[in-house]
Amino acid sequence: MKRKKQTDEAPDAEDNETIQKKSRSRTRQHSTTPEDDRQNGLSNSATSRRTSRRVNAVVKEHEESAHSDEERTDEAPNDEPVEDTEDTPMDDALAVTPQKGLRGIVNKHQLDDQANGTTPKTSNGKKLFSTPVKVNGTSENETPRLVRNADRSARRKGTRALIERTVLGNTSDNDEEEEDIAQHICESEEEDGLDVSEAATVPDTPSKKGRRKGSKNKRRSPTPPPQDLPPHEKYFFQNRGGRAKTSDNNLSSLALLDHEEYFTLARNFKDPQAEDLKALQDLHSTSFKQWQFELSQDFNICLYGWGSKRSLLMRFADHIYKSQANSKPKIVVVNGYVHNLTIRDVLNTIAAAVSAPGQKMGSQPAEMLENLVAILEEDTSQEVVVIIHSIDRVPLRRPTTQAILSRLSAHPQIHLVASADHPSFPLLWDSSLRSTYNFLFHDCTTFQPYVAEVDVVDEVHELLGRSGRRVGGRGVSFVLKSLPENAKNLFRVLIGEQLVAMDGDYGDGAEGDDDDDDDNERRIGNSKKSEPGVEYRVLYQKAVEEFICSNEMNFRTLLKEFHDHQMIQSRKDALGTEMLSIPFRKEELMTILEDII
Amino acid sequence: MSDNEENSSHIGFDAIDHQPAYIYAPGSTNDEAPERPPAKRRKVAKGKASAQAQDRTRTLAFEPLLKGAESAECVQLRQDLFRKCWSDTDGRIQSILNEANEDTLAEVTSFVNDPTNEDNEDDERVPASFIVTGPNIASQSLLFSQLSARLKEEINGPVVTLHSGDASNLKAVLKQLIRDVTNQASDDEGLLQEQNGRKLLNYDLEILHGFVKNNGTQKVIVAFQDSEAFDTTLVVDLITLFSSWMDRIPFVLLFGIATSVELFHERLPRAASRCLHGVQFDVEQTSSILERVFRCAVANSKASFRLGPEIVSSFMERQHDHVQSVQSFVVALKYAYMCHFYGNALSILTDTSQISSKVIQPCHYEAIRMLPSFRRLVERLVETQDLDHAKSLLENDQILSQEIENALESKDRSVLRLLRVLHVFTNAVPEPISGIDLYMTIFDGALTGSDYLKRAIDSIKRMTPVDLTTFTQGIRASIEDGSAELDLDGWASEDEEFLAQIEDIETKGIAVAEESAKAGKPIRSSDAIHSKGLRTTVIAQRVQLSYEKSTITEAETEFTGLVERLSKLLEEYFTLENPKEMFLNEVWLCDSADTFLDIFAPRPRAAIENALSAPHEYLTCEVGGAEEGLSSTHPATAILYQSYLEAGALVNMADLWTTFYEILSGKEGEESDEREVLMQFYRALANLKLLGMVKQSKKKADHLAKVAWKGL
């Protein structure tokens, strides 16, 4: 909420600011024109030096801004250097952006610059040359240090980022920040005019401003991204420099589904395409006989394509079972998507299918495979069809597992029918494995929903960063009830600390939002914003102070309990200190806190 | 507990779906539940049919084709034909493969048997053979299985093959080694555990020592199949350990090396390489084996059906670019056989010996009339004004069957001729030609205008009389002797005229050669001289050229005549019918490469992307016109995927949800519940995650990072 307000206010402030700056730089330009004209002749050679010298320029920039701070009290001090250096060399980059209003502004800038008879970039270069190297050595290195030392704390971060950027030469952020500013400006311009029409056309949108997603909303952006780009161009277009422009909408207003509701809805849901899906499935099942023939010729089969192939494979199993009336074939089904599946389960089940129970199989998979082969070879008429659903899912992905499976499938008495879901599943196998598997691939696009394979709610909540089963924090309350008093107290302390941290971070975040740093820095800042945590040491101290635990062992045991229930997360921050956090949102934390107090 | 109760109340939930692995019993999956009715219907239908028919369908792996009109005999015939044809071909291939590695096997065996290794007891170095297999790791396993079978036969001692995949640490390797050795020979179970009353751990080489003593084993052979893939420290540990046991256990090591011995040596520290003394063995490279397999399996005169140039070239491209293994070529070949006999109802005509007109059903005639080659035949007849014959072919089955018989007979002859030309050409032409490429050219009907022929003729023109005679001798020999690889007997009696001409040229050529030898002057054909003369003109004056031309002697003009005669003769001889133009070529020529690519080299990504971006190609979607873009009738995941495609690298989930909701709630006449749409949104989003297309973004709250770009 706070952040939003901040951004609403920002445009005006910055609008003023840019204008102010413009005038400032213009005056400077006037004062130095003679020199500048002289320099223009040299500018070809000078441009190459310009980048290396920019560091100096930046330093000088500081000095200047420090001096001018008094007159511009309304601005946050650390905004200044960033924007000052960057307001002019942006024009080329800006021409690409789809914002209408922006164009106008850019043109205005250009006009201004041209009116002064200088190239857009001269503000940097001019300063460089207007203050000769000698000045650099004398006045600059002595006086500014004092100034810098004075307000280092305020500006250190920005300076570092700037220096890094200029030294590393990654100026790609420039345009993005410029766009930001410009965007704020156009937002303020457009707000009155366009919002009305938008609200009329899109009545259902929960929040109107969220519709500014660039490529998504064609009505809004005057120059939509080119539509018929070849795939690689599209990749570069979408990954081009600068921050992705997405709205600040979030799903906080949306009540998320929990498992119970999801399953109730899913059960009652009537798929309008049910008929089509069935027809598709029937179409695939006409090739059952062919598959069977292929299996009989020592090939194995792998099905791929979009949609769950589970029911299709089960129908195939049924088909195999029924087509051989006399000797019932052994069919072993493996659900590759089940999390706790191991290769031992597979081998054990196959062994159980072909032999009397109680056979010794050994413990190592390789050993088990050999024993299994020995059992199979006792009776060569015995054939086993192994059906593996989702052979490319995590439990079976390990290379050793795949090696064992491939050797198993190469046995003439084993027929393997597998399904694979991931678009890149062939990467699982090198040429050796591939030839051992001896797969024939069939495209079986079924469009069937992945019902058993995917835990939809958990997956989505993981994407949302709100880990699944703890959504709403209800589960946590149950867990806490069963825990001893000490644990409850510790959790209470942790929540309290985290809430405090969250509040603090929101404040920081509002500031940090504008002082667009280097990419890395932003990421760290963001992650801090999204998951505030409590330092391990601090929490321990608190716990000791409150007599929750007396030693660290004790403390660890308590934490372990929380870990087991996935109620806390532990991570290392950039400096390597261990941070503990509870993976819930603020509101949820509040309710939990109320519950335990 | 409450969880369980909840689950059991869920209709859509079955415990068996979440069981890691189980033995299938019919009806055990609830998935079948909604599909029960058709299953039952199937059963009823079967019950109605006579028991006999049921019996037959059970033994028949093939399906009746031509919309089920094909009789059971035909189906049976196809099936039998497939078995016969493939087992013949397979036998030939296997013999080649065994032969190919024969040399290596023999060398390695003799090395292992080498008595000099045993002489010096105190030598702690382990004898090792480095088998350089080349980069084709897929064929290593075949080589090593052959090797271990061979060594087991000839040497008194166990052979253990280690794979890098199983060898995680020293203990595991030793365990496996000991287990393999002790199981291989006999089953003295007691030996494993106790010796002299003391218990041994199952990775103690003392067990192996005991085994060696008890069985009088001469050698214990340990093979590292893919030695580069092993952890170096593990290999080093094993080598040093083995060398320390050399005085008690006679180890011999085999290393399969894909790169080169030097590289392998570099990886080993000196301490380990000091413990080895080894010999390098090279294995025949895949390409040459492949060529041999190709000749004997595809180009063989006894092979009952041919692969067309298109399919061969796609096989070869795959072979060169991707798999590089003979096995995979064989597998692809097998699949081509399977396809031909399984999917082509006319494949019953493949083997002419078994065919009787009785088997051919009216539906077969109908099918034949649909063939492009039949159409071409009729068109040809119409062009030559043979309208009656054309008409009767279309109308009368009797006459058509006559035509079929003729066509099949002539087919045998023409294919034989193609193969003979293939053989003569490869043998006669001085520079080596890849038989596979030549096969493709010949079966494309393109030899006449091909570079191969042009180059061959050009080279004849530049020959000296002696070269010419050896050349003609080569041609004669290849015609008279035939080829063992292609199973061609000599056919001198059939090509008498051609042979006589060649012989005539040869004798005259010899005469010319003798003359020139007497005169001591080299003789060239005028073409060769001309080209020489041309060269001089470039350098010197024009006068010189005319001088040179006038020096052509009588003998030379005679020789030039000979050369011209020969080149004409050969051009004529190498003029071939295009097999694809022949009537009924569909019966014996298999040439559609599309299916094979997808079967062996799937493109799952393209398939999935296509399914999601164009679901109307699979489902009716109820809107006829909507071809591109979003439509509320598409499946939920497809809708989400398409909006995802439009978004940039960072996707705001809230906006995604808004769009999704808008599209789905925009359905006319339906007031959809937001929660229900949300459920579909959840499902679709989870599906995208399953496909690895999105992941959570740390940059912004509730944002997704785009991971996959369509078409890349």
Side-chain angles (χ1 to χ4, degrees), chain A residues 61-106:
Chain A
E61 221 26 58
H62 273 287
E63 185 193 0
E64 278 178 8
S65 62
H67 291 311
S68 57
D69 262 351
E70 301 98 65
E71 41 185 276
R72 293 181 291 128
T73 42
D74 55 330
E75 288 168 25
N78 55 349
D79 280 354
E80 164 57 25
V82 182
E83 277 149 20
D84 211 353
T85 44
E86 274 155 12
D87 60 343
T88 35
M90 66 182 181
D91 307 24
D92 291 354
L94 273 181
V96 200
T97 54
Q99 299 299 331
K100 186 181 26 177
L102 200 62
R103 273 261 167 87
I105 287 175
V106 174

Side-chain angles (χ1 to χ4, degrees), chain B residues 480-673:
Chain B
E480 274 158 16
D481 301 343
S483 156
E485 262 186 344
L486 300 175
D487 265 328
L488 288 171
D489 298 331
W491 63 96
S493 54
E494 287 170 51
D495 258 343
E496 271 167 3
E497 202 186 319
F498 177 71
L499 270 185
Q501 295 245 32
I502 293 276
E503 222 172 329
D504 183 42
I505 292 172
E506 195 181 319
T507 44
K508 282 183 181 159
I510 291 171
V512 170
E514 277 170 2
E515 247 174 63
S516 80
K518 262 187 226 158
K521 257 201 266 170
I523 291 181
R524 291 210 171 80
S525 72
S526 67
D527 291 278
I529 293 168
H530 181 68
S531 64
K532 283 233 156 128
L534 209 68
R535 220 184 297 156
T536 49
T537 48
V538 178
I539 305 160
Q541 305 292 316
R542 243 171 226 204
V543 195
Q544 274 179 315
L545 176 68
S546 59
Y547 176 73
E548 208 146 16
K549 258 199 174 169
S550 69
T551 58
I552 294 174
T553 60
E554 226 171 274
E556 275 173 338
T557 24
E558 195 194 334
F559 181 62
T560 311
L562 272 184
V563 167
E564 249 154 48
R565 204 174 126 205
L566 178 65
S567 54
K568 268 210 192 96
L569 191 65
L570 284 180
E571 249 173 281
E572 209 172 283
Y573 189 73
F574 288 142
T575 304
L576 297 166
E577 206 180 341
N578 183 354
K580 279 183 163 178
E581 302 272 291
M582 295 180 201
F583 175 46
L584 282 185
N585 70 64
E586 291 88 345
V587 172
W588 52 270
L589 190 71
C590 172
D591 200 11
S592 61
D594 316 345
T595 45
F596 290 91
L597 274 180
D598 276 353
I599 289 290
F600 289 107
R603 285 166 301 166
R605 204 189 161 96
I608 288 173
E609 280 170 355
N610 187 47
L612 287 180
S613 53
H616 51 85
E617 286 178 11
Y618 296 83
L619 308 167
T620 50
C621 286
E622 286 161 6
V623 263
E627 279 174 6
E628 287 292 319
L630 294 160
S631 155
S632 61
T633 51
H634 286 172
T637 314
I639 294 175
L640 194 69
Y641 176 70
Q642 284 162 54
S643 21
Y644 157 85
L645 282 184
E646 286 178 20
L650 205 61
V651 189
N652 184 328
M653 224 179 320
D655 291 342
L656 203 59
W657 155 241
T658 314
T659 320
F660 186 82
Y661 181 66
E662 240 179 273
I663 290 169
L664 271 188
S665 64
K667 270 189 212 171
E668 289 153 39
E670 270 179 65
E671 206 44 63
S672 48
D673 172 25

Side-chain angles (χ1 to χ4, degrees), chain A residues 238 273 276 331 466 526, chain B residues 17 24 620 633 699 702 709:
Chain A
Q238 293 183 345
Q273 257 112 23
D276 281 349
I331 301 175
R466 271 157 269 189
N526 255 343
Chain B
D17 292 346
Y24 175 79
T620 50
T633 51
K699 283 191 180 164
D702 286 346
W709 271 262

Side-chain angles (χ1 to χ4, degrees), chain A residues 249-256 464 466 585, chain B residues 653-654 657 702:
Chain A
N249 287 348
N250 57 35
L251 286 174
S252 53
S253 59
L254 188 71
L256 299 174
L464 287 168
R466 271 157 269 189
R585 333 191 97 203
Chain B
M653 224 179 320
W657 155 241
D702 286 346

Side-chain angles (χ1 to χ4, degrees), chain A residues 61 90 98 103 112 136 202 224 228 233 245 279 357 368 414 457 465 483 532 548 567:
Chain A
E61 221 26 58
M90 66 182 181
R103 273 261 167 87
D112 287 350
N136 243 353
V202 198
D228 301 323
E233 291 292 348
K245 290 168 286 297
M368 291 170 78
I414 299 276
V457 180
L483 288 179
I548 293 168
M567 283 155 56

Side-chain angles (χ1 to χ4, degrees), chain A residues 143-163:
Chain A
T143 47
R145 188 168 289 150
L146 285 171
V147 184
R148 252 188 296 155
N149 281 343
D151 54 4
R152 172 179 281 170
S153 60
R155 202 165 291 135
R156 193 172 43 192
K157 219 164 88 179
T159 320
R160 195 175 56 235
L162 263 174
I163 290 173

